[in-house]
Amino acid sequence: MESWTPFPYAQDYAFTAGDVARRWERLHQGDAEPLPHDPAVLEAWALFHGGRFAEAARAGMAAGGAGITVANKATIVYATYLEPSEARRLELFSQAAECARQQAAAEPDNPNAWFWHAYALGRYAQGISVARALAQGLT
């Protein structure tokens, strides 16, 4: 994983896995992600909520399973708000879309796998030309 620009306010959001578990309902009211049972996945979410996006993405991928969702979300949020390079941003959206596609294929009843696949493709498509989107079958 290439170096990611750090979130400048991470020190203001020091979450532990326990903090995230206690606040889970409020933190995930919008996406209805279920509270993970795997401590490694919960730790990845703590990194995400603490603005440590690169670490969250690595931890989520390492955890596998439910960790893929946090890895995709961390990658997409980072790419959207912090990545300064347009080319790298598009690469990250493309990677997250493919990872989410694979997750959705493996877990067809996981709505967030489908959501992050569509979201990453949408953000990717916004950054390319219409002709390129058509050539890639994104229409």
Side-chain angles (χ1 to χ4, degrees):
M1 180 178 288
E2 290 183 31
S3 177
W4 288 12
T5 302
F7 175 57
Y9 306 105
Q11 72 280 359
D12 297 338
Y13 300 95
F15 281 94
T16 67
D19 294 332
V20 171
R22 282 188 295 282
R23 297 176 178 148
W24 189 265
E25 188 175 321
R26 172 126 181 172
L27 290 169
H28 291 272
Q29 191 171 18
D31 63 14
E33 180 70 18
L35 176 66
H37 299 293
D38 182 344
V41 176
L42 191 57
E43 181 58 35
W45 278 110
L47 293 165
F48 171 82
H49 288 295
R52 296 163 59 189
F53 301 116
E55 292 172 75
R58 281 193 297 274
M61 291 302 289
I68 302 301
T69 301
V70 66
N72 288 333
K73 188 170 185 175
T75 300
I76 293 166
V77 167
Y78 168 79
T80 301
Y81 297 107
L82 293 170
E83 176 54 51
S85 164
E86 178 68 16
R88 179 74 178 126
R89 189 171 24 257
L90 291 175
E91 181 182 330
L92 289 168
F93 288 140
S94 181
Q95 288 172 2
E98 177 57 23
C99 186
R101 185 196 65 74
Q102 290 175 13
Q103 183 187 25
E107 303 173 37
D109 293 332
N110 181 342
N112 281 322
W114 294 100
F115 175 81
W116 289 115
H117 177 240
Y119 190 89
L121 280 179
R123 293 306 308 240
Y124 174 80
Q126 287 176 324
I128 62 175
S129 69
V130 172
R132 187 170 170 193
L134 288 168
Q136 292 180 10
L138 297 178
T139 55

